[in-house]
Amino acid sequence: MTDVRLLYFASLRDAAGRSEETWQTTAPDLRALYAEVRAQHGFALPAERLRVAVDGAFARWDDAVRGDSEIAFIPPVSGG
Amino acid sequence: MTDVRLLYFASLRDAAGRSEETWQTTAPDLRALYAEVRAQHGFALPAERLRVAVDGAFARWDDAVRGDSEIAFIPPVSGG
Amino acid sequence: MTDRDFWLADAPVDLVPLRARLQHDRAGAFASFEGWVRDHNDGRPVLGLRYESYVELAQAEGAKVLAEARARFALCEAVCVHRIGDLAIGDMAVWVGVSAPHRGAAFDACRYIIDEIKDRVPIWKHERYADGDATWLHPEPAGDGAPQ
Amino acid sequence: MTDRDFWLADAPVDLVPLRARLQHDRAGAFASFEGWVRDHNDGRPVLGLRYESYVELAQAEGAKVLAEARARFALCEAVCVHRIGDLAIGDMAVWVGVSAPHRGAAFDACRYIIDEIKDRVPIWKHERYADGDATWLHPEPAGDGAPQ
């Protein structure tokens, strides 16, 4: 089991009902982690529509899950 | 003989030493008129580099010379 | 004012010092872009909106966009500031300003910056509509009719 | 301020009322361009310059350019003002501002306007150089390396 910190923004935060949480996982990579979290919170958006960031920098979905990292799932942006 | 009013701008005014003058001409069209004026004042620019305006509106070089009109030879512009 | 070239502002932005930062004796051209809050989106009347950001990542990604613009185009200066928080109709949501010796580079860089900011920087718009509804905007990828 | 959308100004221009004229609840995008007096041209140090115009024709032709931009692009408002008289390094020579529902139209119209103004409107620049020389600029047709 690995502990990670998850950050939620915009519609993901609304769906999760929180802006962050600690999550225990055995997921080998970030894609599998998102699948777990999506099932738990009922997120509408598939991973293909999102980007993922680890410790404040964009990451790849097949990157391994590192313990104690801060992971953000980034829904499609709408600034500007 | 037809009397016209000529307006000079920018390098044409410097070369002519005046910003306007009355000109008596038998030139049938504006191109021939410019040839007369160019010869008189030693303008460097050929008609192909200029535009011509009559009474405050752009005109064509083969337009006839109308008496008492106000004619401006427009050297290449450099606003902006 | 910060000395960064991209930042997030949680209050209205004074344009005078922004514009002054772009001034440069070699600069013959200045192009700017502003995004303003419209009273409608996709035909729906809009009352107001809120921008939220993943601030740490947005700051890093926005700075990267500005660095790319400086590398691609012959610029003097380039600055971008994006509002977060609550905005009303007519408020300025984003400001991009670019100065350059020539106007082609100024226009191209200005457009590059706003296009990339809208595409990549983690900022989200939450719109409130006249009919009482409200929603986060998560546009489809560009080319599929992304708004504005 | 005039209610024309193109005019010549013989004194420095206040940008605040200009920008205010572009505001519109339907406007999501605002693009502006400014031409500034550079300290050099074609490698020659410039001390200052003077713009002269055939005012009557420039006013008519500038208004035509603005009307073309409104016809070609989906705009809310468009305004252009060009300085005449003596200008110093850093002074604003021309200002173009366009507001539109979407940014593509705002950028394209802003560029169209400044390109056409530079190409067609009878305004001439007289530059004074550090070496004591001074000259009227009569650029070759576009594509032959016209400055800025």
Side-chain angles (χ1 to χ4, degrees):
Chain A
M1 278 292 184
T2 302
D3 272 15
V4 292
R5 192 84 192 147
L6 300 182
L7 306 182
Y8 301 122
F9 296 97
S11 66
L12 300 193
R13 191 190 51 235
D14 286 0
R18 68 205 70 184
S19 60
E20 51 182 284
E21 66 183 326
T22 301
W23 188 271
Q24 287 203 322
T25 185
T26 56
D29 61 19
L30 296 169
R31 184 178 286 105
L33 173 65
Y34 180 69
E36 287 178 6
V37 174
R38 186 185 182 196
Q40 170 71 27
H41 291 306
F43 293 156
L45 292 163
E48 297 70 46
R49 295 284 311 282
L50 306 185
R51 297 182 73 184
V52 61
V54 176
D55 293 336
F58 283 116
R60 284 180 301 257
W61 285 110
D62 52 8
D63 287 349
V65 176
R66 286 189 281 104
D68 296 322
S69 59
E70 186 178 75
I71 298 167
F73 303 114
I74 312 285
V77 303
S78 48
Chain B
M1 277 290 184
T2 301
D3 271 17
V4 293
R5 192 81 192 148
L6 301 181
L7 306 182
Y8 301 121
F9 297 98
S11 67
L12 299 193
R13 191 191 50 237
D14 286 1
R18 68 204 74 183
S19 60
E20 51 182 285
E21 66 183 326
T22 299
W23 189 271
Q24 287 204 321
T25 184
T26 57
D29 61 19
L30 297 169
R31 184 178 286 105
L33 174 65
Y34 181 68
E36 286 178 9
V37 175
R38 185 184 183 198
Q40 170 72 26
H41 291 306
F43 292 156
L45 292 163
E48 297 69 47
R49 296 283 313 283
L50 305 185
R51 297 182 74 184
V52 61
V54 176
D55 293 336
F58 283 116
R60 284 181 301 258
W61 285 109
D62 52 8
D63 286 348
V65 176
R66 285 189 281 105
D68 296 321
S69 59
E70 186 179 75
I71 298 167
F73 302 114
I74 312 285
V77 302
S78 48
Chain C
M1 189 163 60
T2 171
D3 59 358
R4 293 168 165 176
D5 59 8
F6 174 84
W7 69 98
L8 302 167
D10 58 8
V13 176
D14 183 359
L15 293 183
V16 174
L18 277 183
R19 198 168 162 284
R21 259 182 73 158
L22 280 288
Q23 273 158 0
H24 198 297
D25 283 351
R26 288 192 307 109
F30 167 73
S32 78
F33 174 80
E34 301 180 19
W36 292 347
V37 179
R38 276 182 298 167
D39 66 358
H40 67 284
N41 187 14
D42 251 333
R44 292 179 85 176
V46 172
L47 297 181
L49 56 79
R50 181 158 52 92
Y51 281 107
E52 167 180 300
S53 177
Y54 180 9
V55 173
E56 183 186 2
L57 183 58
Q59 184 57 58
E61 194 69 6
K64 202 178 285 184
V65 168
L66 273 284
E68 290 166 7
R70 291 173 189 273
R72 278 171 189 244
F73 306 102
L75 305 183
C76 294
E77 282 298 334
V79 168
C80 176
V81 53
H82 200 296
R83 279 294 311 279
I84 51 177
D86 291 308
L87 280 78
I89 306 299
D91 281 358
M92 192 181 78
V94 59
W95 189 88
V96 181
V98 174
S99 60
H102 299 283
R103 75 184 186 286
F107 272 115
D108 291 346
C110 193
R111 188 147 194 180
Y112 178 82
I113 291 167
I114 187 62
D115 285 351
E116 295 295 311
I117 296 290
K118 289 177 73 86
D119 193 49
R120 294 159 48 182
V121 174
I123 299 169
W124 298 275
K125 176 156 53 175
H126 186 257
E127 281 184 342
R128 286 184 299 106
Y129 303 102
D131 60 15
D133 197 12
T135 192
W136 290 101
L137 295 170
H138 292 313
E140 299 286 330
D144 298 12
Q148 185 177 294
Chain D
M1 191 163 57
T2 171
D3 58 358
R4 292 169 166 175
D5 57 9
F6 173 85
W7 69 97
L8 302 167
D10 57 9
V13 175
D14 184 358
L15 293 184
V16 175
L18 277 183
R19 198 169 162 285
R21 260 183 72 159
L22 281 286
Q23 274 157 0
H24 199 296
D25 284 350
R26 289 191 307 109
F30 167 72
S32 78
F33 174 81
E34 300 179 18
W36 294 346
V37 179
R38 277 182 298 169
D39 66 357
H40 67 284
N41 187 15
D42 250 334
R44 293 179 85 176
V46 172
L47 297 182
L49 57 79
R50 180 158 52 92
Y51 281 108
E52 168 180 301
S53 177
Y54 179 10
V55 172
E56 183 187 1
L57 184 57
Q59 183 58 58
E61 194 69 7
K64 202 179 285 185
V65 168
L66 273 283
E68 291 166 6
R70 290 173 190 272
R72 277 170 190 245
F73 306 103
L75 306 183
C76 294
E77 282 298 334
V79 167
C80 176
V81 53
H82 200 296
R83 279 294 311 278
I84 50 178
D86 291 309
L87 280 78
I89 305 299
D91 281 358
M92 192 179 79
V94 60
W95 188 89
V96 181
V98 174
S99 61
H102 299 282
R103 74 186 188 285
F107 273 115
D108 291 346
C110 193
R111 188 147 194 180
Y112 178 82
I113 291 167
I114 187 62
D115 285 352
E116 295 295 311
I117 296 289
K118 289 177 73 88
D119 192 49
R120 295 160 48 182
V121 175
I123 300 169
W124 298 275
K125 176 157 52 176
H126 186 258
E127 281 184 341
R128 287 183 298 107
Y129 303 102
D131 60 15
D133 197 11
T135 192
W136 289 101
L137 294 171
H138 292 314
E140 299 286 331
D144 298 13
Q148 184 177 293

mmCIF file with all atom_site columns, all heavy atoms in Angstrom, chain C residues 31-51:
data_model
loop_
_atom_site.group_PDB
_atom_site.id
_atom_site.type_symbol
_atom_site.label_atom_id
_atom_site.label_alt_id
_atom_site.label_comp_id
_atom_site.label_asym_id
_atom_site.label_entity_id
_atom_site.label_seq_id
_atom_site.pdbx_PDB_ins_code
_atom_site.Cartn_x
_atom_site.Cartn_y
_atom_site.Cartn_z
_atom_site.occupancy
_atom_site.B_iso_or_equiv
_atom_site.pdbx_formal_charge
_atom_site.auth_seq_id
_atom_site.auth_comp_id
_atom_site.auth_asym_id
_atom_site.auth_atom_id
_atom_site.pdbx_PDB_model_num
ATOM 1   N N   . ALA C 1 31 ? 1.539   44.721 -29.438 1.00 0.00 ? 31 ALA C N   1
ATOM 2   C CA  . ALA C 1 31 ? 0.252   44.059 -29.661 1.00 0.00 ? 31 ALA C CA  1
ATOM 3   C C   . ALA C 1 31 ? -0.248  43.562 -28.320 1.00 0.00 ? 31 ALA C C   1
ATOM 4   O O   . ALA C 1 31 ? 0.528   43.056 -27.502 1.00 0.00 ? 31 ALA C O   1
ATOM 5   C CB  . ALA C 1 31 ? 0.394   42.892 -30.627 1.00 0.00 ? 31 ALA C CB  1
ATOM 6   N N   . SER C 1 32 ? -1.536  43.743 -28.069 1.00 0.00 ? 32 SER C N   1
ATOM 7   C CA  . SER C 1 32 ? -2.085  43.230 -26.822 1.00 0.00 ? 32 SER C CA  1
ATOM 8   C C   . SER C 1 32 ? -3.394  42.516 -27.094 1.00 0.00 ? 32 SER C C   1
ATOM 9   O O   . SER C 1 32 ? -4.069  42.762 -28.103 1.00 0.00 ? 32 SER C O   1
ATOM 10  C CB  . SER C 1 32 ? -2.277  44.354 -25.800 1.00 0.00 ? 32 SER C CB  1
ATOM 11  O OG  . SER C 1 32 ? -3.427  45.098 -26.088 1.00 0.00 ? 32 SER C OG  1
ATOM 12  N N   . PHE C 1 33 ? -3.693  41.604 -26.196 1.00 0.00 ? 33 PHE C N   1
ATOM 13  C CA  . PHE C 1 33 ? -4.968  40.903 -26.245 1.00 0.00 ? 33 PHE C CA  1
ATOM 14  C C   . PHE C 1 33 ? -5.572  40.918 -24.855 1.00 0.00 ? 33 PHE C C   1
ATOM 15  O O   . PHE C 1 33 ? -4.876  40.747 -23.868 1.00 0.00 ? 33 PHE C O   1
ATOM 16  C CB  . PHE C 1 33 ? -4.793  39.448 -26.697 1.00 0.00 ? 33 PHE C CB  1
ATOM 17  C CG  . PHE C 1 33 ? -6.082  38.676 -26.619 1.00 0.00 ? 33 PHE C CG  1
ATOM 18  C CD1 . PHE C 1 33 ? -7.025  38.799 -27.629 1.00 0.00 ? 33 PHE C CD1 1
ATOM 19  C CD2 . PHE C 1 33 ? -6.381  37.897 -25.517 1.00 0.00 ? 33 PHE C CD2 1
ATOM 20  C CE1 . PHE C 1 33 ? -8.244  38.137 -27.534 1.00 0.00 ? 33 PHE C CE1 1
ATOM 21  C CE2 . PHE C 1 33 ? -7.597  37.225 -25.423 1.00 0.00 ? 33 PHE C CE2 1
ATOM 22  C CZ  . PHE C 1 33 ? -8.531  37.351 -26.441 1.00 0.00 ? 33 PHE C CZ  1
ATOM 23  N N   . GLU C 1 34 ? -6.891  41.137 -24.793 1.00 0.00 ? 34 GLU C N   1
ATOM 24  C CA  . GLU C 1 34 ? -7.609  41.023 -23.524 1.00 0.00 ? 34 GLU C CA  1
ATOM 25  C C   . GLU C 1 34 ? -8.799  40.107 -23.720 1.00 0.00 ? 34 GLU C C   1
ATOM 26  O O   . GLU C 1 34 ? -9.515  40.210 -24.710 1.00 0.00 ? 34 GLU C O   1
ATOM 27  C CB  . GLU C 1 34 ? -8.117  42.400 -23.066 1.00 0.00 ? 34 GLU C CB  1
ATOM 28  C CG  . GLU C 1 34 ? -6.996  43.399 -22.874 1.00 0.00 ? 34 GLU C CG  1
ATOM 29  C CD  . GLU C 1 34 ? -7.495  44.767 -22.429 1.00 0.00 ? 34 GLU C CD  1
ATOM 30  O OE1 . GLU C 1 34 ? -8.638  44.871 -21.931 1.00 0.00 ? 34 GLU C OE1 1
ATOM 31  O OE2 . GLU C 1 34 ? -6.724  45.725 -22.571 1.00 0.00 ? 34 GLU C OE2 1
ATOM 32  N N   . GLY C 1 35 ? -9.004  39.213 -22.776 1.00 0.00 ? 35 GLY C N   1
ATOM 33  C CA  . GLY C 1 35 ? -10.238 38.438 -22.734 1.00 0.00 ? 35 GLY C CA  1
ATOM 34  C C   . GLY C 1 35 ? -11.185 39.111 -21.755 1.00 0.00 ? 35 GLY C C   1
ATOM 35  O O   . GLY C 1 35 ? -10.799 39.420 -20.630 1.00 0.00 ? 35 GLY C O   1
ATOM 36  N N   . TRP C 1 36 ? -12.390 39.403 -22.232 1.00 0.00 ? 36 TRP C N   1
ATOM 37  C CA  . TRP C 1 36 ? -13.394 40.061 -21.391 1.00 0.00 ? 36 TRP C CA  1
ATOM 38  C C   . TRP C 1 36 ? -14.539 39.084 -21.121 1.00 0.00 ? 36 TRP C C   1
ATOM 39  O O   . TRP C 1 36 ? -14.858 38.248 -21.970 1.00 0.00 ? 36 TRP C O   1
ATOM 40  C CB  . TRP C 1 36 ? -13.971 41.281 -22.119 1.00 0.00 ? 36 TRP C CB  1
ATOM 41  C CG  . TRP C 1 36 ? -12.988 42.405 -22.315 1.00 0.00 ? 36 TRP C CG  1
ATOM 42  C CD1 . TRP C 1 36 ? -11.775 42.567 -21.729 1.00 0.00 ? 36 TRP C CD1 1
ATOM 43  C CD2 . TRP C 1 36 ? -13.169 43.538 -23.189 1.00 0.00 ? 36 TRP C CD2 1
ATOM 44  N NE1 . TRP C 1 36 ? -11.174 43.728 -22.173 1.00 0.00 ? 36 TRP C NE1 1
ATOM 45  C CE2 . TRP C 1 36 ? -12.005 44.341 -23.063 1.00 0.00 ? 36 TRP C CE2 1
ATOM 46  C CE3 . TRP C 1 36 ? -14.185 43.959 -24.047 1.00 0.00 ? 36 TRP C CE3 1
ATOM 47  C CZ2 . TRP C 1 36 ? -11.839 45.533 -23.774 1.00 0.00 ? 36 TRP C CZ2 1
ATOM 48  C CZ3 . TRP C 1 36 ? -14.014 45.138 -24.751 1.00 0.00 ? 36 TRP C CZ3 1
ATOM 49  C CH2 . TRP C 1 36 ? -12.863 45.922 -24.606 1.00 0.00 ? 36 TRP C CH2 1
ATOM 50  N N   . VAL C 1 37 ? -15.181 39.238 -19.968 1.00 0.00 ? 37 VAL C N   1
ATOM 51  C CA  . VAL C 1 37 ? -16.314 38.370 -19.638 1.00 0.00 ? 37 VAL C CA  1
ATOM 52  C C   . VAL C 1 37 ? -17.519 38.812 -20.468 1.00 0.00 ? 37 VAL C C   1
ATOM 53  O O   . VAL C 1 37 ? -17.982 39.944 -20.346 1.00 0.00 ? 37 VAL C O   1
ATOM 54  C CB  . VAL C 1 37 ? -16.644 38.431 -18.134 1.00 0.00 ? 37 VAL C CB  1
ATOM 55  C CG1 . VAL C 1 37 ? -17.843 37.537 -17.836 1.00 0.00 ? 37 VAL C CG1 1
ATOM 56  C CG2 . VAL C 1 37 ? -15.435 38.010 -17.308 1.00 0.00 ? 37 VAL C CG2 1
ATOM 57  N N   . ARG C 1 38 ? -17.990 37.900 -21.312 1.00 0.00 ? 38 ARG C N   1
ATOM 58  C CA  . ARG C 1 38 ? -19.149 38.177 -22.176 1.00 0.00 ? 38 ARG C CA  1
ATOM 59  C C   . ARG C 1 38 ? -20.452 37.924 -21.447 1.00 0.00 ? 38 ARG C C   1
ATOM 60  O O   . ARG C 1 38 ? -20.496 37.151 -20.484 1.00 0.00 ? 38 ARG C O   1
ATOM 61  C CB  . ARG C 1 38 ? -19.115 37.248 -23.390 1.00 0.00 ? 38 ARG C CB  1
ATOM 62  C CG  . ARG C 1 38 ? -18.258 37.726 -24.500 1.00 0.00 ? 38 ARG C CG  1
ATOM 63  C CD  . ARG C 1 38 ? -18.335 36.758 -25.648 1.00 0.00 ? 38 ARG C CD  1
ATOM 64  N NE  . ARG C 1 38 ? -17.833 35.443 -25.249 1.00 0.00 ? 38 ARG C NE  1
ATOM 65  C CZ  . ARG C 1 38 ? -17.999 34.337 -25.964 1.00 0.00 ? 38 ARG C CZ  1
ATOM 66  N NH1 . ARG C 1 38 ? -18.679 34.372 -27.087 1.00 0.00 ? 38 ARG C NH1 1
ATOM 67  N NH2 . ARG C 1 38 ? -17.480 33.207 -25.544 1.00 0.00 ? 38 ARG C NH2 1
ATOM 68  N N   . ASP C 1 39 ? -21.511 38.521 -21.948 1.00 0.00 ? 39 ASP C N   1
ATOM 69  C CA  . ASP C 1 39 ? -22.830 38.343 -21.327 1.00 0.00 ? 39 ASP C CA  1
ATOM 70  C C   . ASP C 1 39 ? -23.540 37.082 -21.845 1.00 0.00 ? 39 ASP C C   1
ATOM 71  O O   . ASP C 1 39 ? -24.695 36.842 -21.517 1.00 0.00 ? 39 ASP C O   1
ATOM 72  C CB  . ASP C 1 39 ? -23.708 39.579 -21.537 1.00 0.00 ? 39 ASP C CB  1
ATOM 73  C CG  . ASP C 1 39 ? -24.080 39.804 -22.994 1.00 0.00 ? 39 ASP C CG  1
ATOM 74  O OD1 . ASP C 1 39 ? -23.622 39.028 -23.863 1.00 0.00 ? 39 ASP C OD1 1
ATOM 75  O OD2 . ASP C 1 39 ? -24.832 40.752 -23.262 1.00 0.00 ? 39 ASP C OD2 1
ATOM 76  N N   . HIS C 1 40 ? -22.864 36.300 -22.647 1.00 0.00 ? 40 HIS C N   1
ATOM 77  C CA  . HIS C 1 40 ? -23.473 35.075 -23.161 1.00 0.00 ? 40 HIS C CA  1
ATOM 78  C C   . HIS C 1 40 ? -22.368 34.092 -23.514 1.00 0.00 ? 40 HIS C C   1
ATOM 79  O O   . HIS C 1 40 ? -21.215 34.486 -23.730 1.00 0.00 ? 40 HIS C O   1
ATOM 80  C CB  . HIS C 1 40 ? -24.302 35.367 -24.424 1.00 0.00 ? 40 HIS C CB  1
ATOM 81  C CG  . HIS C 1 40 ? -23.465 35.783 -25.580 1.00 0.00 ? 40 HIS C CG  1
ATOM 82  N ND1 . HIS C 1 40 ? -22.908 37.047 -25.684 1.00 0.00 ? 40 HIS C ND1 1
ATOM 83  C CD2 . HIS C 1 40 ? -23.028 35.110 -26.665 1.00 0.00 ? 40 HIS C CD2 1
ATOM 84  C CE1 . HIS C 1 40 ? -22.193 37.127 -26.793 1.00 0.00 ? 40 HIS C CE1 1
ATOM 85  N NE2 . HIS C 1 40 ? -22.239 35.960 -27.408 1.00 0.00 ? 40 HIS C NE2 1
ATOM 86  N N   . ASN C 1 41 ? -22.704 32.814 -23.565 1.00 0.00 ? 41 ASN C N   1
ATOM 87  C CA  . ASN C 1 41 ? -21.773 31.801 -24.045 1.00 0.00 ? 41 ASN C CA  1
ATOM 88  C C   . ASN C 1 41 ? -22.598 30.715 -24.701 1.00 0.00 ? 41 ASN C C   1
ATOM 89  O O   . ASN C 1 41 ? -23.511 30.173 -24.079 1.00 0.00 ? 41 ASN C O   1
ATOM 90  C CB  . ASN C 1 41 ? -20.934 31.228 -22.893 1.00 0.00 ? 41 ASN C CB  1
ATOM 91  C CG  . ASN C 1 41 ? -19.842 30.296 -23.412 1.00 0.00 ? 41 ASN C CG  1
ATOM 92  O OD1 . ASN C 1 41 ? -19.536 30.279 -24.605 1.00 0.00 ? 41 ASN C OD1 1
ATOM 93  N ND2 . ASN C 1 41 ? -19.253 29.521 -22.521 1.00 0.00 ? 41 ASN C ND2 1
ATOM 94  N N   . ASP C 1 42 ? -22.276 30.422 -25.970 1.00 0.00 ? 42 ASP C N   1
ATOM 95  C CA  . ASP C 1 42 ? -23.020 29.380 -26.682 1.00 0.00 ? 42 ASP C CA  1
ATOM 96  C C   . ASP C 1 42 ? -24.517 29.674 -26.659 1.00 0.00 ? 42 ASP C C   1
ATOM 97  O O   . ASP C 1 42 ? -25.335 28.752 -26.519 1.00 0.00 ? 42 ASP C O   1
ATOM 98  C CB  . ASP C 1 42 ? -22.774 28.025 -26.013 1.00 0.00 ? 42 ASP C CB  1
ATOM 99  C CG  . ASP C 1 42 ? -21.911 27.137 -26.899 1.00 0.00 ? 42 ASP C CG  1
ATOM 100 O OD1 . ASP C 1 42 ? -21.938 27.323 -28.130 1.00 0.00 ? 42 ASP C OD1 1
ATOM 101 O OD2 . ASP C 1 42 ? -21.231 26.254 -26.348 1.00 0.00 ? 42 ASP C OD2 1
ATOM 102 N N   . GLY C 1 43 ? -24.881 30.953 -26.725 1.00 0.00 ? 43 GLY C N   1
ATOM 103 C CA  . GLY C 1 43 ? -26.285 31.330 -26.768 1.00 0.00 ? 43 GLY C CA  1
ATOM 104 C C   . GLY C 1 43 ? -26.963 31.462 -25.411 1.00 0.00 ? 43 GLY C C   1
ATOM 105 O O   . GLY C 1 43 ? -28.106 31.914 -25.333 1.00 0.00 ? 43 GLY C O   1
ATOM 106 N N   . ARG C 1 44 ? -26.282 31.075 -24.313 1.00 0.00 ? 44 ARG C N   1
ATOM 107 C CA  . ARG C 1 44 ? -26.910 31.180 -22.989 1.00 0.00 ? 44 ARG C CA  1
ATOM 108 C C   . ARG C 1 44 ? -26.507 32.491 -22.319 1.00 0.00 ? 44 ARG C C   1
ATOM 109 O O   . ARG C 1 44 ? -25.316 32.799 -22.228 1.00 0.00 ? 44 ARG C O   1
ATOM 110 C CB  . ARG C 1 44 ? -26.443 30.042 -22.084 1.00 0.00 ? 44 ARG C CB  1
ATOM 111 C CG  . ARG C 1 44 ? -26.933 28.686 -22.511 1.00 0.00 ? 44 ARG C CG  1
ATOM 112 C CD  . ARG C 1 44 ? -26.403 27.615 -21.578 1.00 0.00 ? 44 ARG C CD  1
ATOM 113 N NE  . ARG C 1 44 ? -27.239 27.462 -20.386 1.00 0.00 ? 44 ARG C NE  1
ATOM 114 C CZ  . ARG C 1 44 ? -27.011 26.527 -19.458 1.00 0.00 ? 44 ARG C CZ  1
ATOM 115 N NH1 . ARG C 1 44 ? -25.971 25.718 -19.554 1.00 0.00 ? 44 ARG C NH1 1
ATOM 116 N NH2 . ARG C 1 44 ? -27.820 26.414 -18.428 1.00 0.00 ? 44 ARG C NH2 1
ATOM 117 N N   . PRO C 1 45 ? -27.476 33.236 -21.801 1.00 0.00 ? 45 PRO C N   1
ATOM 118 C CA  . PRO C 1 45 ? -27.135 34.464 -21.060 1.00 0.00 ? 45 PRO C CA  1
ATOM 119 C C   . PRO C 1 45 ? -26.321 34.140 -19.806 1.00 0.00 ? 45 PRO C C   1
ATOM 120 O O   . PRO C 1 45 ? -26.695 33.267 -19.024 1.00 0.00 ? 45 PRO C O   1
ATOM 121 C CB  . PRO C 1 45 ? -28.509 35.047 -20.694 1.00 0.00 ? 45 PRO C CB  1
ATOM 122 C CG  . PRO C 1 45 ? -29.473 34.427 -21.661 1.00 0.00 ? 45 PRO C CG  1
ATOM 123 C CD  . PRO C 1 45 ? -28.927 33.061 -21.960 1.00 0.00 ? 45 PRO C CD  1
ATOM 124 N N   . VAL C 1 46 ? -25.207 34.841 -19.633 1.00 0.00 ? 46 VAL C N   1
ATOM 125 C CA  . VAL C 1 46 ? -24.291 34.613 -18.511 1.00 0.00 ? 46 VAL C CA  1
ATOM 126 C C   . VAL C 1 46 ? -24.397 35.788 -17.536 1.00 0.00 ? 46 VAL C C   1
ATOM 127 O O   . VAL C 1 46 ? -24.418 36.941 -17.949 1.00 0.00 ? 46 VAL C O   1
ATOM 128 C CB  . VAL C 1 46 ? -22.838 34.483 -19.021 1.00 0.00 ? 46 VAL C CB  1
ATOM 129 C CG1 . VAL C 1 46 ? -21.845 34.446 -17.870 1.00 0.00 ? 46 VAL C CG1 1
ATOM 130 C CG2 . VAL C 1 46 ? -22.688 33.253 -19.906 1.00 0.00 ? 46 VAL C CG2 1
ATOM 131 N N   . LEU C 1 47 ? -24.476 35.474 -16.241 1.00 0.00 ? 47 LEU C N   1
ATOM 132 C CA  . LEU C 1 47 ? -24.537 36.528 -15.220 1.00 0.00 ? 47 LEU C CA  1
ATOM 133 C C   . LEU C 1 47 ? -23.151 36.900 -14.708 1.00 0.00 ? 47 LEU C C   1
ATOM 134 O O   . LEU C 1 47 ? -22.895 38.047 -14.357 1.00 0.00 ? 47 LEU C O   1
ATOM 135 C CB  . LEU C 1 47 ? -25.393 36.067 -14.034 1.00 0.00 ? 47 LEU C CB  1
ATOM 136 C CG  . LEU C 1 47 ? -26.868 35.789 -14.335 1.00 0.00 ? 47 LEU C CG  1
ATOM 137 C CD1 . LEU C 1 47 ? -27.589 35.373 -13.064 1.00 0.00 ? 47 LEU C CD1 1
ATOM 138 C CD2 . LEU C 1 47 ? -27.534 37.019 -14.950 1.00 0.00 ? 47 LEU C CD2 1
ATOM 139 N N   . GLY C 1 48 ? -22.279 35.907 -14.598 1.00 0.00 ? 48 GLY C N   1
ATOM 140 C CA  . GLY C 1 48 ? -20.942 36.175 -14.078 1.00 0.00 ? 48 GLY C CA  1
ATOM 141 C C   . GLY C 1 48 ? -20.176 34.882 -14.034 1.00 0.00 ? 48 GLY C C   1
ATOM 142 O O   . GLY C 1 48 ? -20.712 33.820 -14.374 1.00 0.00 ? 48 GLY C O   1
ATOM 143 N N   . LEU C 1 49 ? -18.916 34.960 -13.638 1.00 0.00 ? 49 LEU C N   1
ATOM 144 C CA  . LEU C 1 49 ? -18.152 33.722 -13.599 1.00 0.00 ? 49 LEU C CA  1
ATOM 145 C C   . LEU C 1 49 ? -17.034 33.791 -12.576 1.00 0.00 ? 49 LEU C C   1
ATOM 146 O O   . LEU C 1 49 ? -16.751 34.832 -11.981 1.00 0.00 ? 49 LEU C O   1
ATOM 147 C CB  . LEU C 1 49 ? -17.604 33.380 -14.987 1.00 0.00 ? 49 LEU C CB  1
ATOM 148 C CG  . LEU C 1 49 ? -16.745 34.397 -15.698 1.00 0.00 ? 49 LEU C CG  1
ATOM 149 C CD1 . LEU C 1 49 ? -15.329 34.387 -15.169 1.00 0.00 ? 49 LEU C CD1 1
ATOM 150 C CD2 . LEU C 1 49 ? -16.717 34.056 -17.183 1.00 0.00 ? 49 LEU C CD2 1
ATOM 151 N N   . ARG C 1 50 ? -16.454 32.639 -12.362 1.00 0.00 ? 50 ARG C N   1
ATOM 152 C CA  . ARG C 1 50 ? -15.362 32.502 -11.411 1.00 0.00 ? 50 ARG C CA  1
ATOM 153 C C   . ARG C 1 50 ? -14.266 31.689 -12.073 1.00 0.00 ? 50 ARG C C   1
ATOM 154 O O   . ARG C 1 50 ? -14.552 30.710 -12.765 1.00 0.00 ? 50 ARG C O   1
ATOM 155 C CB  . ARG C 1 50 ? -15.880 31.775 -10.164 1.00 0.00 ? 50 ARG C CB  1
ATOM 156 C CG  . ARG C 1 50 ? -14.882 31.565 -9.064  1.00 0.00 ? 50 ARG C CG  1
ATOM 157 C CD  . ARG C 1 50 ? -15.607 31.338 -7.726  1.00 0.00 ? 50 ARG C CD  1
ATOM 158 N NE  . ARG C 1 50 ? -16.604 30.283 -7.825  1.00 0.00 ? 50 ARG C NE  1
ATOM 159 C CZ  . ARG C 1 50 ? -16.366 28.993 -7.558  1.00 0.00 ? 50 ARG C CZ  1
ATOM 160 N NH1 . ARG C 1 50 ? -15.165 28.608 -7.172  1.00 0.00 ? 50 ARG C NH1 1
ATOM 161 N NH2 . ARG C 1 50 ? -17.316 28.101 -7.659  1.00 0.00 ? 50 ARG C NH2 1
ATOM 162 N N   . TYR C 1 51 ? -13.023 32.134 -11.925 1.00 0.00 ? 51 TYR C N   1
ATOM 163 C CA  . TYR C 1 51 ? -11.890 31.347 -12.407 1.00 0.00 ? 51 TYR C CA  1
ATOM 164 C C   . TYR C 1 51 ? -11.175 30.733 -11.222 1.00 0.00 ? 51 TYR C C   1
ATOM 165 O O   . TYR C 1 51 ? -10.892 31.418 -10.225 1.00 0.00 ? 51 TYR C O   1
ATOM 166 C CB  . TYR C 1 51 ? -10.886 32.224 -13.155 1.00 0.00 ? 51 TYR C CB  1
ATOM 167 C CG  . TYR C 1 51 ? -11.271 32.550 -14.567 1.00 0.00 ? 51 TYR C CG  1
ATOM 168 C CD1 . TYR C 1 51 ? -11.708 33.821 -14.906 1.00 0.00 ? 51 TYR C CD1 1
ATOM 169 C CD2 . TYR C 1 51 ? -11.188 31.596 -15.573 1.00 0.00 ? 51 TYR C CD2 1
ATOM 170 C CE1 . TYR C 1 51 ? -12.049 34.134 -16.207 1.00 0.00 ? 51 TYR C CE1 1
ATOM 171 C CE2 . TYR C 1 51 ? -11.530 31.902 -16.891 1.00 0.00 ? 51 TYR C CE2 1
ATOM 172 C CZ  . TYR C 1 51 ? -11.961 33.171 -17.187 1.00 0.00 ? 51 TYR C CZ  1
ATOM 173 O OH  . TYR C 1 51 ? -12.298 33.475 -18.477 1.00 0.00 ? 51 TYR C OH  1
#
